[in-house]
Amino acid sequence: MHDVRTDLRACELFAGLDEAALELLAATARPHEVPAGAMLYTQGSSRHACFVVVEGQAEILRGRHDEAERLAVLGPGDALGEGSFLHASLHTTSARALTPLALLVLERHAVRTALAANGAAAVEVLSRVALAISRRLQYASSGPVGRDKAYASGATRVEHDLLGDRDVPADALYGVQTLRAVENFPISGVHLSHFPTLVRALAMVKQAAARANLGLGLLDGEVASAIDRACQEIVDGRHHGHFVVDAVQGGAGTSTNMNANEVIANRALELLGARRGDYARCHPNNQVNLSQSTNDVYPTALRIATVLSLRSLTAALEKLRAALAAKGDEFGGVVKMGRTQLQDAVPMTMGQEFTAFAVTTGEDIARLRETARLFLEVNMGGTAIGTGINADPHYPVLVVEHLRRITGLDVVLAENLVEATPDTGAFVMFSGVLKRTAVKLSKLCNDLRLLSSGPRCGLAEINLPAMQPGSSIMPGKVNPVIPEVVNQVAFQVIGNDLTITLAAEAGQLQLNVMEPIIAFALFQSLQMLTAAVNTLTARCIRGITANAQRCRELVERSIGIVTAVVPALGYERAGEIAKEALETGKPVREIILAAGLLSGAELDELLSPEAMTRPRPLAPRGPAA
């Protein structure tokens, strides 16, 4: 059985507390075990306790049910739900056991009651909780991050680089080169941490490099282990708040690479029992970046992150495809008018219309997956320009083998590393397919807006779910806001495709220095499109209903149904009937019956939904009269 005080001391939140405060907390702590898959709390539930992980792993999720996104994986020494000590508001995330968990549960009421007896302990504990929450909020900020904004502590440490000494926040995992990059590139306000899949991919590349260097005897075993563990923590979603460099930057991604090197080095130093910034044992360049260059690390990480990010988009598109197919089945018996050039064409079923939407979505999924395979070829080991300078001859093959195991992807080494290093053609092709997907989604949303137009003076064939009042001046107006936002995301993706194309064209000689803007545009497109598709599915498609009677009335009033009698009457006579219907406003059926051209039974057969909405054998017809 674990000693409760020892377990509390191992938690960063409570490390260094004086004995009196620690004793108060220990008296309230309740050991608890939960099986894998169990929920510790759910998004929207009341905060009632803080959980300290003693053994096992838990994942933090945002979102509900099958749309939940993993934010982080927490392990021994981590605290969850510490905000319960401050107030009993609702959880903004969910926590689930990934493995069987051994926990300490500190109930809100019991802790607050215990702290009420010791003012100094209460101030210390609640200050730590407030600081932890404050930092988390600051990391999540979308504005530029400088040391004063990102860290509450005013303490600093001195670090040195080529340009001299600088004061770096003492509690920052990043170092001096990252600090300079933060100051140099206050461009987009979008930090690397905004793209968590890219941060994880960077850590995967560094982890593979550490394992390869260990295997080649180039890296001390203890240091390699610490680097490996630090990388795994980042892969699990921890320390992302220290990836503070702006995604749009000069230097071909060097600032991104150094941000990763410094975070990993400083976390590895902590695991080795050393202080942050004390690089004698583990240096960002000498150990973490060993056998590497930005010019093979950065493009490799971009490729891996793209493939991993695509999983979220294709999962969203699969849900959309399934929802559209379900509506195709639901609306199979609703007969309506098809339209070409916004004019009446021939009848169809609404089921056919929505099934077509589902099929085209499935095609997009297939094209995206096919094109993404181009990213499985990487240039690791090429270092600066592809010649492999400062890397062991066996390193390229070995590092790619490790990368394959770590990522679970079929990564292969490029045939020619000099060619592969500046080549961004895969990004151009993939962005083009992403644009195609956005264009087709936008067309789908155009159709939904048109089909739902009204409710009294438009087509009004379908009803979109009412999501919010639509006007500040017109009572009762409800707008198609979900398709509208998807349209706008599509426009952004189309613009990003042009940015990627221009950046790829701007490469020169042995390197393309414009890869950061390619990364920014590509991951923005992937994130926004994934969010838009999930929103479209959940908040629009699944709630669509059909106005079957309205559709039937439009079919019966349309002259388009005259096409169905062409096999019986011929094109010219059918054209005369259509002309008369337009001039007189009489229904096609009424004109044919009045002229005695066909019997009621014959018309019923020709104008039946079965005859008008699918092929069937045609009877031979003699020459026109």
Side-chain angles (χ1 to χ4, degrees), residues 519-538:
F520 176 81
L522 183 63
F523 293 122
Q524 183 187 64
S525 290
L526 284 165
Q527 282 190 352
M528 291 182 69
L529 205 53
T530 300
V533 172
N534 280 326
T535 299
L536 179 64
T537 303

Side-chain angles (χ1 to χ4, degrees), residues 196-211 231-232 234-236 264 297 300-301 304-305 308 311 380 399 402-409:
T197 307
L198 175 57
V199 174
R200 290 186 172 101
L202 284 163
M204 290 175 178
V205 172
K206 297 295 176 181
Q207 190 175 45
R211 293 180 183 180
C231 290
Q232 188 59 50
I234 295 169
V235 171
D236 288 341
I264 293 166
V297 167
T300 297
I304 290 170
L308 297 179
R311 291 176 177 175
M380 283 301 290
V399 73
H402 284 295
L403 195 57
R404 191 179 301 117
R405 295 190 191 100
I406 290 167
T407 63
L409 303 175

Side-chain angles (χ1 to χ4, degrees), residues 17-64:
L17 277 179
D18 63 40
E19 286 301 315
L22 198 68
E23 192 64 41
L24 283 175
L25 291 175
T28 68
R30 173 173 55 86
H32 183 57
E33 295 185 358
V34 297
M39 301 299 297
L40 302 183
Y41 52 81
T42 57
Q43 186 172 323
S45 62
S46 296
R47 302 177 192 270
H48 72 281
C50 171
F51 303 89
V52 175
V53 180
V54 177
E55 292 180 355
Q57 289 186 318
E59 60 179 344
I60 305 299
L61 307 166
R62 175 173 293 142
R64 299 179 185 275

Side-chain angles (χ1 to χ4, degrees), residues 424-433 435 493-507 512 514-515 517-519 521-522 525:
T424 53
F427 293 103
V428 176
M429 289 190 66
F430 181 77
S431 179
V433 178
K435 179 179 73 172
V493 173
I494 294 166
N496 283 343
D497 176 65
L498 177 58
T499 297
I500 290 168
T501 301
L502 293 174
E505 185 274 337
N512 189 321
M514 307 300 176
E515 284 186 344
I517 197 64
I518 291 178
L522 183 63
S525 290

Side-chain angles (χ1 to χ4, degrees), residues 142-144 181-182 185-195 198-199 243-256 259 298 302 513-524:
S142 61
V182 168
F185 308 122
I187 305 301
S188 69
V190 176
H191 321 132
L192 297 179
S193 59
H194 187 77
F195 302 124
L198 175 57
V199 174
F243 285 78
V244 294
V245 172
D246 197 294
V248 182
Q249 57 192 252
T254 297
S255 296
T256 293
N259 196 164
Y298 189 65
L302 296 190
V513 301
M514 307 300 176
E515 284 186 344
I517 197 64
I518 291 178
F520 176 81
L522 183 63
F523 293 122
Q524 183 187 64

